[in-house]
Amino acid sequence: MSARLLQTQIPSDANLFGIFRAFGFILTGVLAFGLATGGLFPLIGLKLQDQGASDLIIGLITSVFFAGTFAGSLLTERIIARIRHIRTFSFLAATAGISTMALALSDDPKVWILMRFITGFCLGGYYVVIESWINYASTNQTRARGMSIYEAVRMLGIAISPFVLGLGLNGQPYLLAGLLFTLAIIPLVFCPLEEPVQNEPGTLPFGRLLSLVPLGMLAAFVSGSVNAAFYGMAGVYGDRAGLDTSEIAIFIGSMLIAPTFAHPIMGAAADRFGRLPVLFVASASSALAAVVIATMASGFWDLVIFSFLLGGFSHPVYSLGVAYVNDRLDPGDFVRAGGALLIAFCLGTTFGPTAAAATMALTGDSGLYLFIAGILTLVALSVAMSAGASRPVKQ
């Protein structure tokens, strides 16, 4: 492709549709990745249960996936430094496809543990590649909308993935998921956006990043905690609330689908009014929705409605935090920052379910939402403190 066809950045005055169109090739790959990943967790759990695997093995296979995600977030920076973004993405997508299809070839738990670690590594690396590329191609005037569109498409893929992968039940859903991972490579190869220029790995130490933008790191950590706590414990909460299987699916699905609608709205608001005001609204409103569920929600439709609001307001906390961080960094540090933010997110996913379960043990089932409300309130208070001490950012 000739150099004149490559676009370095999206124009600062681009509208939402223009941003969507500019990122179209990247977003197609994101959708394919989401379709490949979202439905695998319940399918793998059911498969292992049918095979008579112990709870310990099922939990271990789940845990090593997230350990792989953490490792991918940490190490992909150096892979990108050697072979850049497109080839890194192609390597990760192809490897994820192979490791997923390998699940159809063996019932040995040791094989599944290794393959899920590899897939998790590829997912962590994929996040670093895509998020750093979107941030690099965006300006401070378009970054929140770019990240919000990416998150909306990613969540759309994850939400409908169980239905798509369900089409492959007779012919092994792992083969269909592996095919989707591989198909994700094609649009990225034709992407007209210039690959990001990266500073040397290690030029922005994690500790320095934490000191520069602690609010962004906190937002990533809290987002990971909230998401993992909800997805890990919501099924238990719904069952104890007396919901049947289909009602639990709708209840959980309402929080999954809400970000698809909320992200573009929150991103547009953040580009217009600033990151901090919108981040405050998102964290405070989602904390309030969680409090309502914990103290007032009394039926199925109450849970569905307020879970939708909780998901719609809480999920953008991560993308708003990412935009806030990258507004303040040199573009060459976006890969490093993306990896660090994902590490904070992964640490949150480790902390959230355990802390939520402990809170439920102390206060009852409502403790799930009391924990979620408390940790989101921490973000809202931190935003209020940062807003009082913030300086204008040079655009």
Side-chain angles (χ1 to χ4, degrees):
M1 184 179 292
S2 62
R4 65 184 179 86
L5 294 178
L6 294 177
Q7 180 181 353
T8 302
Q9 278 192 323
I10 294 172
S12 296
D13 59 353
N15 58 27
L16 194 65
F17 177 75
I19 297 171
F20 182 88
R21 185 173 58 182
F23 285 132
F25 288 90
I26 292 177
L27 295 175
T28 304
V30 168
L31 180 62
F33 242 85
L35 291 172
T37 56
L40 282 178
F41 283 101
L43 290 174
I44 286 174
L46 290 172
K47 174 71 170 179
L48 291 169
Q49 185 170 305
D50 290 342
Q51 292 175 350
S54 66
D55 290 344
L56 177 61
I57 292 296
I58 295 173
L60 180 59
I61 289 174
T62 302
S63 297
V64 297
F65 177 87
F66 290 107
T69 303
F70 182 88
S73 303
L74 189 65
L75 300 176
T76 299
E77 175 189 12
R78 298 190 179 276
I79 301 175
I80 294 173
R82 291 177 62 88
I83 60 176
R84 305 197 67 183
H85 278 65
I86 291 177
R87 285 187 287 174
T88 299
F89 182 90
S90 300
F91 161 72
L92 294 169
T95 304
I98 294 168
S99 61
T100 300
M101 288 187 286
L103 299 178
L105 304 178
S106 175
D107 293 333
D108 187 341
K110 294 188 291 296
V111 173
W112 281 53
I113 289 170
L114 176 61
M115 293 302 105
R116 289 304 282 166
F117 178 86
I118 293 172
T119 306
F121 181 97
C122 294
L123 187 68
Y126 143 81
Y127 287 142
V128 173
V129 171
I130 296 298
E131 292 179 14
S132 62
W133 201 343
I134 288 174
N135 278 290
Y136 184 85
S138 302
T139 64
N140 285 7
Q141 291 81 10
T142 62
R143 182 166 291 116
R145 281 173 290 170
M147 282 297 298
S148 69
I149 293 171
Y150 150 71
E151 287 285 356
V153 171
R154 186 177 72 86
M155 289 305 299
L156 176 64
I158 290 173
I160 64 177
S161 173
F163 305 100
V164 174
L165 294 186
L167 298 174
L169 281 176
N170 294 329
Q172 293 286 358
Y174 316 113
L175 302 182
L176 181 55
L179 178 63
L180 288 166
F181 277 127
T182 307
L183 286 175
I185 298 171
I186 297 174
L188 266 290
V189 172
F190 292 99
C191 182
L193 292 171
E194 182 180 0
E195 293 180 83
V197 176
Q198 179 186 356
N199 290 340
E200 286 295 319
T203 56
L204 182 64
F206 186 91
R208 182 164 176 262
L209 179 64
L210 184 61
S211 66
L212 283 173
V213 279
L215 176 59
M217 301 296 284
L218 175 65
F221 176 83
V222 168
S223 183
S225 298
V226 169
N227 279 278
F230 179 83
Y231 299 132
M233 304 302 298
V236 175
Y237 181 91
D239 180 67
R240 293 176 180 174
L243 304 185
D244 60 33
T245 303
S246 60
E247 288 175 332
I248 291 174
I250 296 171
F251 155 56
I252 294 176
S254 65
M255 185 164 171
L256 268 174
I257 198 65
T260 301
F261 301 100
H263 269 295
I265 298 171
M266 303 294 279
D271 279 337
R272 182 172 182 180
F273 301 111
R275 317 299 188 225
L276 293 182
V278 180
L279 183 55
F280 177 82
V281 169
S283 53
S285 298
S286 52
L288 180 60
V291 169
V292 170
I293 295 175
T295 60
M296 298 173 60
S298 58
F300 168 66
W301 286 110
D302 286 349
L303 287 175
V304 170
I305 292 169
F306 285 101
S307 291
F308 185 89
L309 293 174
L310 175 59
F313 281 111
S314 67
H315 207 275
V317 166
Y318 176 78
S319 57
L320 292 169
V322 170
Y324 175 81
V325 168
N326 285 294
D327 285 349
R328 286 154 175 77
L329 298 179
D330 182 279
D333 288 324
F334 286 170
V335 172
R336 172 60 173 162
L341 287 162
L342 284 166
I343 289 170
F345 183 90
C346 289
L347 291 174
T349 63
T350 302
F351 168 77
T354 303
T359 308
M360 292 172 73
L362 290 172
T363 64
D365 295 338
S366 63
L368 170 62
Y369 290 98
L370 293 176
F371 165 75
I372 290 174
I375 199 167
L376 285 166
T377 300
L378 180 61
V379 176
L381 292 174
S382 298
V383 171
M385 294 173 61
S386 296
S390 64
R391 303 176 186 174
V393 179
K394 184 179 179 181
Q395 304 291 323

